[in-house]
Amino acid sequence: MKRLPVLLTALLLGAASAAQASDFARLTPPRVANDDTIVVKLPNQASMTLFVKNKAQLRELRQYKLDSLLVLLDSYITQAEAAGKNSKSEQVTMEFYPAKEQPGKQVPEQIRITVRNQGPGAKTKSADHVDVTLGRVFGVTVDESTDGGSDRVSVRVGATPASDSIRNAQRQAKREEYRNRAVHSNFNIDLGLNALVDKGADANGVTPDLRPVASRYLSLNWHYDIRLGQKGSVLYLRTGPELAFNNYMLDGNYQFTNTNGITTLSKAEAGRSLEKSKLAVTSINLPLMPMLNFQDKKGKNAFRVGAGGFVGYRLGSHTKLKYEQEGNTKKDKDRGSYNLEDFQYGVQGLIGIRSINLFAKYNLNDTFKNNRGPQAQTFSFGFSLLN
């Protein structure tokens, strides 16, 4: 390949064109937004195309000594071409670090050489092709015609097509690596509502009724999805700690009270209207849920469905009352167990499309201890965020 004369002409004209970039830019329309395209016809019937963001980028080329740089490039391209001939691949990329090899000299920190040659066995006629990237800014592309046509030279300020393809390949490799991991970790938030089911009366004969929208469920989840089976399996086991907050907002102006070690529901004092009357419970849960997770062709989550169980332990609980008294808003909070069961267990399930998950949880054991509080079991449902 006649690379030295072609590269010399390209780099010299590139450096000399810095002050005249805006004039050359009028020759052709912009290639992409905020880019100027400069086309220069060379005396040897070759052509050079420069893609620049601004004049300042092109002026940076002047910091190099072009004669020594060309000798360096010729040596590196020779090595890359030799590697290409011995490789079964049609494309070979090599990286060199001249600044480390020649400290103190004005040379790029990194030079990347990509050689592509379809060879005589190719079905379509193609030219030898070399991409040269100097550092992270400048790129030179040389096409040498194999059928007697004109050589083509492109000087690019910014990423070259070769570096773009390399980065795309690296991104794809990272996506494949993530997709094939045996364990995926994620953080998400469950937001929903609580309901009491299988209800029975307390010691005073009162059955608990909740305000539907005000009885909220919130859970902060650190989940681990563990693949079951070989690479490509869609079967996973979901587990990981969940910090859950259950709120039970009573309706009908009732409040939770403890009398003689028994939790009951009682009416508020005469003349007092309760704006809020709730029992808040904080617990730590651990799910064990088999799940099928299907992905699309791009490796993104497409559809998932799962069903399993969970266990939990109560960390704390309190009641909170909010009401008006003598024109002032009063808030009473009382911490206590209220005869809640410390350990909970149940079943749960989810179904999701893309980034949207719907979940449901049902506690199999009673919310309150037997004969120490109202008869009820908790049912929670809602959707997941940040999945």
Side-chain angles (χ1 to χ4, degrees):
M1 178 180 288
K2 305 181 290 296
R3 52 183 172 271
L4 266 178
V6 176
L7 285 172
L8 176 61
T9 306
L11 292 174
L12 287 175
L13 285 177
S17 300
Q20 305 173 7
S22 59
D23 294 333
F24 281 119
R26 301 190 187 98
L27 298 177
T28 58
R31 182 173 181 266
V32 293
N34 300 323
D35 280 9
D36 284 333
T37 302
I38 305 170
V39 179
V40 180
K41 296 295 183 179
L42 306 179
N44 60 356
Q45 295 185 346
S47 63
M48 181 180 70
T49 307
L50 298 94
F51 304 105
V52 297
K53 293 287 185 181
N54 49 51
K55 296 179 183 179
Q57 284 188 327
L58 196 54
R59 288 194 182 101
E60 292 181 23
L61 189 59
R62 293 179 175 177
Q63 66 178 307
Y64 303 128
K65 292 185 177 180
L66 298 182
D67 52 350
S68 58
L69 179 59
L70 287 171
V71 174
L72 197 63
L73 289 178
D74 183 58
S75 171
Y76 290 158
I77 294 175
T78 300
Q79 297 180 51
E81 286 181 332
K85 292 179 181 178
N86 297 326
S87 175
K88 297 180 180 180
S89 174
E90 296 177 355
Q91 174 174 306
V92 172
T93 298
M94 299 182 68
E95 292 185 355
F96 304 90
Y97 299 90
K100 294 181 180 179
E101 300 171 3
Q102 305 179 29
K105 293 190 176 182
Q106 292 179 325
V107 291
E109 293 184 2
Q110 180 194 62
I111 295 178
R112 182 186 293 113
I113 310 290
T114 299
V115 178
R116 292 200 299 272
N117 185 2
Q118 292 189 3
K123 296 181 180 180
T124 59
K125 187 178 295 185
S126 176
D128 292 344
H129 186 90
V130 177
D131 284 318
V132 182
T133 304
L134 310 181
R136 297 181 180 273
V137 180
F138 298 99
V140 179
T141 299
V142 179
D143 287 333
E144 181 181 8
S145 176
T146 57
D147 57 358
S150 300
D151 292 339
R152 296 187 300 278
V153 181
S154 296
V155 180
R156 182 186 300 272
V157 181
T160 65
S163 61
D164 285 341
S165 62
I166 293 171
R167 279 193 290 271
N168 290 335
Q170 291 173 341
R171 294 191 191 102
Q172 181 63 28
K174 289 182 179 179
R175 284 195 292 266
E176 287 296 325
E177 179 185 359
Y178 177 79
R179 182 179 181 180
N180 293 325
R181 285 180 184 174
V183 179
H184 293 268
S185 62
N186 60 78
F187 171 79
N188 58 52
I189 300 174
D190 288 346
L191 184 62
L193 300 174
N194 285 316
L196 293 178
V197 297
D198 298 330
K199 296 183 293 183
D202 64 5
N204 295 333
V206 180
T207 301
D209 289 324
L210 301 182
R211 296 183 186 179
V213 178
S215 299
R216 300 183 184 93
Y217 173 84
L218 173 67
S219 180
L220 308 178
N221 311 317
W222 290 265
H223 284 153
Y224 295 90
D225 295 337
I226 304 170
R227 187 177 67 234
L228 302 178
Q230 299 180 349
K231 183 187 300 184
S233 172
V234 297
L235 179 60
Y236 289 82
L237 177 65
R238 170 163 290 188
T239 187
E242 300 177 346
L243 184 61
F245 304 89
N246 290 79
N247 287 285
Y248 305 96
M249 188 77 70
L250 289 176
D251 199 5
N253 213 34
Y254 279 95
Q255 65 186 61
F256 289 99
T257 58
N258 270 332
T259 305
N260 299 323
I262 298 177
T263 300
T264 59
L265 281 74
S266 61
K267 278 283 189 179
E269 297 178 8
R272 176 182 294 178
S273 178
L274 297 178
E275 185 178 339
K276 288 184 179 179
S277 175
K278 74 174 183 178
L279 173 63
V281 183
T282 303
S283 60
I284 184 76
N285 298 328
L286 181 68
L288 288 172
M289 181 171 59
M291 180 177 64
L292 296 175
N293 187 11
F294 299 94
Q295 298 178 333
D296 59 19
K297 295 180 180 179
K298 296 182 179 179
K300 296 182 179 180
N301 292 332
F303 176 76
R304 72 202 66 85
V305 60
F310 71 92
V311 294
Y313 179 76
R314 183 181 63 86
L315 299 177
S317 54
H318 68 272
T319 59
K320 184 176 181 181
L321 302 177
K322 182 179 179 181
Y323 54 91
E324 293 286 336
Q325 183 174 324
E326 297 178 354
N328 297 320
T329 299
K330 300 288 185 178
K331 295 181 180 179
D332 297 339
K333 181 183 287 188
D334 181 46
R335 297 188 180 277
S337 67
Y338 283 86
N339 294 303
L340 291 160
E341 287 283 3
D342 290 331
F343 290 94
Q344 294 284 328
Y345 59 90
V347 294
Q348 64 178 6
L350 70 83
I351 184 170
I353 299 176
R354 298 296 181 184
S355 59
I356 300 176
N357 277 349
L358 300 178
F359 74 89
K361 303 179 71 173
Y362 176 66
N363 290 33
L364 293 175
N365 64 331
D366 291 337
T367 303
F368 296 89
K369 294 178 180 178
N370 189 31
N371 296 324
R372 303 282 296 276
Q375 168 66 38
Q377 292 169 280
T378 299
F379 176 68
S380 305
F381 59 95
F383 59 94
S384 298
L385 302 174
L386 303 177
N387 184 61

